[in-house]
Amino acid sequence: MRKSYFKCGAEEFTFEVKPIGKVCALCKKEIPVVTLTTQNLKLCKNCFNHIQQKRVLEGIKTYRMFSAKDRLGIFLSGGKDSAVLAHLLKSLFPQQEILGIYLNLGIKYYSELAQQAVEELCKKIGLPLFIYNLCEKENFFIDDFIFTNFKDKICSVCGTIKRYLFSKIAKKLNLTVIATGHHLDDLISTYLTLFLSGDFLSIKRLSPVNPPLYSGQAKKIKPLYSIPEKEIFYYALLNDLPIESCACPHGEITPSKKTKKLLEELEKDNRTFKFQLLSIFLKKFIPLLKDLEEEKTLVPCLKCGEPTASYGICTFCRRVELLKRIESPKLEITPEEWEEIKRTGEVNNWVVFDVREEDDFLNGTLEGAKWLSTQLLEKEKELYKILRPFKRKKLLFICYTGRLSYLFTLKLRKANFEAYNLKNPDLAFKIGS
Ligand code: SF4
Ligand code: ZN
């Protein structure tokens, strides 16, 4: 079985499940199918699962993450990390009160698919699920921010919205502990990024367990902190966990993702490098920061009443205010900008495809642009057939938010078309290139 998996940010993982030796290095009975990355041990599925369970149990005990009385919540994203976390906690603590929560952010062509994966996962592992739909409850989508000044920082806005709603939902559901799927690679890449920027206070807060900042807030724990990302992926695949493999169209290459790549390189010379770094941070560095904590007084937001460190209205409410100022959605490239590009660049070989609703296209588009139905995203053969006459051209896809044009670009690149859109940095449209 071969499986590809797109992470948040459009990076791709691939892994194939097949026999990789004669006998498992631990049980000496079963056929090995997976290598434990840190020790180069070839293991069968059961022994691999057992090792991961042991790591998680040890971490929970060391940091006294929760007790039998706690009511745990896991925010499921549809991705591998939270799915593995839910599976591990459910199998290790079948009697514990654990609730899965899905926050549907209204990211078109992504949130719905992720929700399906979460629903399947919860059914498979018997986890009760609570769904919070951003549009129904708060009356906006994450995609709406594409029309604000945050159009190039959707992930930052999304982070603010998620953090705010996570604690609001946790309170509503009386959760005492929130478990998150941060793994070893997440932690050390963030440690290093923060270290290089001198933000020691944030490093201190990145401990595997974070006590509540105010009464009534849930404690936050990271039970996967000692599991490398690759092994999380292997675990998800070996245990056949339903995960969503389509990347969020807003995914960005963040500094911490770049650090992750650097760490991968360093790991090639030293298999245990990431563990060494984790141990240095947890045992040596964070204790040195003991007295660093600056007391931030939290005050109720004047608008929503939730605790905030900024006097006046909280960041969430400020971001939502921005949405009220949106007038009508604009094309991701305006006719004026297109005119300017045509004046300065070589565009003879370009064909522009507008992939918005047909009515929007008819209401006005770029000069010479052709309309393509979004339904073609689901009908690959038809799509390739329609576009075959343009195989030797450069294809530029446009829409409102950049998400549909991105999905078209992604699909067509796989079929060797020279397709571009404006939003994704890797596939960015460069006129004259
Ligand atoms: Fe992740 Fe950014 Fe998409 Fe939010 S907008 S789900 S942070 S990639
Ligand atoms: Zn507020």
Side-chain angles (χ1 to χ4, degrees), residues 164 301 303-305 314 317:
Y164 175 92
C301 162
K303 222 166 157 43
C304 68
C314 69
C317 290

Side-chain angles (χ1 to χ4, degrees), residues 42-54:
K42 293 186 169 137
L43 302 177
C44 70
K45 175 183 162 183
N46 282 346
C47 290
F48 178 79
N49 277 355
H50 186 66
I51 285 190
Q52 307 306 352
Q53 288 180 338
K54 230 172 99 191

